[in-house]
Amino acid sequence: MNPLLKFFKTKIYTAIFLLAAMISLGVFGYKLIANYSWVDAVYMTVITMTTVGFGEVVPLNQESKIFTVFLILASVVIMGYALSIITEYILSKNNVEELKQKKMQKNIDSFKNHVVICGYGRNGKQAARKLLAHKKQFVVIEKNKEMEERLQQDEVPYVIGNANDDSILIQAGIDRASSFISALPNDADNLFVVLSTRQINGSINIISRASHESSYTKLKFAGANNVILPDKIGGDHMASLVVVPGLMEFIDNLSIVGKSNINIEEVAVEKLYRGNPSVKTIRDLDLRRKTGCTIIGYKDENGEYVVNPEADLELAANSKIIVLGRPEQIEILNDAYNIT
């Protein structure tokens, strides 16, 4: 909790204690000095402290009048103090939240080539968790104001608003982002957001969730680079666990994120040969000897994949290789070629 708000909460507890003590003093005072019943004592204490101007329950004797004067003066001071503290706390809380929001927005404004996640439901949280583990900058757009507390607890940079509004997308830095993940539960909303995103940023990589297979083509046509059907993937995975359980268990144990347990890495070939003219093929890279990692895939400049490429495959500019290895081997690869 913010130290300023914590300080004010302590003062509020003090004010509440003083009010409770004053009420107790008034009730017992009228009970003992004026010989009121408990109900009359409570009633007299409340109307005296609130200064509403009602008459006494029964005429007061001289001692009771002196006690009432003391109670009125003390109540004015204590209630004034309590009201000022509560008001100051409310205003300070609003100011602190506003300052925190401005600070977070300033941080978001500094992001470049980040990821924007639309929706912080089950799929959105999973995507955020993976990106956080991979230390990739991202911003969450969430329409539901009630999710703000959860976003703050997870320490996730966010923008509250409807992603159908272009200004909200701009606020999340969609024009500077490298990727966009639309994880909304409704396919129609995903379609609209994908259209808006593609219109604002023509080069961004868009990944959208879809609930129905009929939405796949529409989302691709709207500009999504990839469309994920979670239900289909889940069903395929469960069926695969029946057909090839050993293979699926092996795949499930592979990790692509997390500094200490990563098994698969995608690397741009430029980072591996760094302009060395003698490096022309996969064999020339000699990664197996240098790092222990094995090249299991190759993605050419056109985005076409080759699984288990031949050693004499020529490396093209703007292509990538996919390597497999134990965590310590991947770490050697990253350190040797300064891959982050």
Side-chain angles (χ1 to χ4, degrees):
M1 181 184 292
N2 186 281
L4 182 61
L5 296 182
K6 189 175 182 180
F7 171 72
F8 278 122
K9 276 197 170 183
T10 302
K11 295 180 74 174
I12 286 175
Y13 293 147
T14 302
I16 292 173
F17 171 77
L18 290 174
L19 285 173
M22 186 57 60
I23 291 172
S24 300
L25 178 64
V27 171
F28 282 102
Y30 282 118
K31 175 67 177 176
L32 298 175
I33 298 173
N35 199 27
Y36 280 5
S37 66
W38 288 112
V39 175
D40 287 343
V42 172
Y43 174 76
M44 191 66 188
T45 300
V46 172
I47 64 173
T48 301
M49 290 182 64
T50 56
T51 64
V52 295
F54 292 167
E56 297 88 353
V57 177
V58 295
L60 297 174
N61 55 31
Q62 190 170 352
E63 292 81 2
S64 300
K65 289 179 180 179
I66 295 173
F67 175 75
T68 301
V69 170
F70 165 78
L71 186 63
I72 291 173
L73 293 176
S75 298
V76 168
V77 174
I78 291 175
M79 293 191 71
Y81 171 77
L83 287 173
S84 65
I85 290 299
I86 293 172
T87 303
E88 194 173 359
Y89 171 73
I90 294 172
L91 292 176
S92 298
K93 186 177 181 180
N94 291 337
N95 290 337
V96 168
E97 291 299 325
E98 186 178 348
L99 287 173
K100 286 171 62 179
Q101 190 67 39
K102 286 182 177 179
K103 183 179 179 181
M104 183 171 60
Q105 186 59 50
K106 186 177 181 180
N107 187 37
I108 292 172
D109 291 340
S110 68
F111 288 176
K112 287 184 179 179
N113 296 321
H114 59 291
V115 180
V116 177
I117 302 174
C118 185
Y120 201 60
R122 185 176 65 252
N123 297 120
K125 289 177 187 175
Q126 183 79 8
R129 195 175 298 119
K130 289 286 185 181
L131 292 172
L132 194 62
H134 209 47
K135 297 183 179 179
K136 179 71 175 177
Q137 286 183 328
F138 65 92
V139 181
V140 172
I141 298 177
E142 175 55 52
K143 181 173 66 174
N144 188 357
K145 181 73 173 176
E146 295 176 359
M147 291 293 293
E148 187 170 13
E149 185 176 350
R150 180 59 185 270
L151 288 162
Q152 291 174 348
Q153 289 176 354
D154 294 345
E155 297 182 349
V156 171
Y158 64 89
V159 173
I160 298 294
N162 193 334
N164 291 335
D165 187 348
D166 288 357
S167 64
I168 297 297
L169 293 172
I170 295 294
Q171 190 176 340
I174 199 70
D175 53 327
R176 307 182 307 277
S178 62
S179 299
F180 177 75
I181 299 174
S182 186
L184 299 173
N186 186 282
D187 286 357
D189 291 337
N190 283 318
L191 181 63
F192 192 91
V193 172
V194 167
L195 279 168
S196 299
T197 300
R198 180 58 69 198
Q199 185 178 16
I200 296 171
N201 189 337
S203 61
I204 193 171
N205 178 38
I206 300 178
I207 302 160
S208 177
R209 175 189 186 277
S211 299
H212 307 286
E213 291 190 30
S214 59
S215 302
Y216 181 92
T217 305
K218 296 173 184 176
L219 284 163
K220 293 284 285 186
F221 185 75
N225 299 90
N226 300 96
V227 179
I228 307 301
L229 294 156
D231 294 338
K232 182 182 178 184
I233 292 174
D236 287 345
H237 189 82
M238 287 186 286
S240 297
L241 285 170
V242 175
V243 180
V244 282
L247 176 59
M248 294 308 298
E249 186 176 355
F250 172 75
I251 293 174
D252 287 343
N253 277 282
L254 295 178
S255 177
I256 61 171
V257 295
K259 190 170 180 62
S260 62
N261 62 348
I262 186 169
N263 298 116
I264 300 177
E265 184 73 271
E266 180 187 72
V267 187
V269 295
E270 285 83 1
K271 290 189 175 182
L272 297 174
Y273 63 71
R274 299 186 180 279
N276 187 343
S278 64
V279 177
K280 296 180 179 180
T281 66
I282 287 178
R283 180 183 288 108
D284 296 333
L285 291 175
D286 199 15
L287 286 185
R288 180 68 180 175
R289 182 183 64 83
K290 294 177 180 177
T291 67
C293 297
T294 301
I295 298 176
I296 61 172
Y298 174 77
K299 181 181 179 182
D300 65 21
E301 68 276 18
N302 298 317
E304 298 294 329
Y305 282 92
V306 177
V307 178
N308 194 24
E310 300 293 337
D312 59 355
L313 178 67
E314 292 189 5
L315 302 172
N318 300 318
S319 61
K320 297 179 179 180
I321 63 169
I322 295 90
V323 299
L324 175 68
R326 296 192 302 273
E328 60 271 19
Q329 293 172 333
I330 295 293
E331 189 173 350
I332 292 172
L333 172 74
N334 292 338
D335 292 340
Y337 295 96
N338 194 25
I339 299 169
T340 57

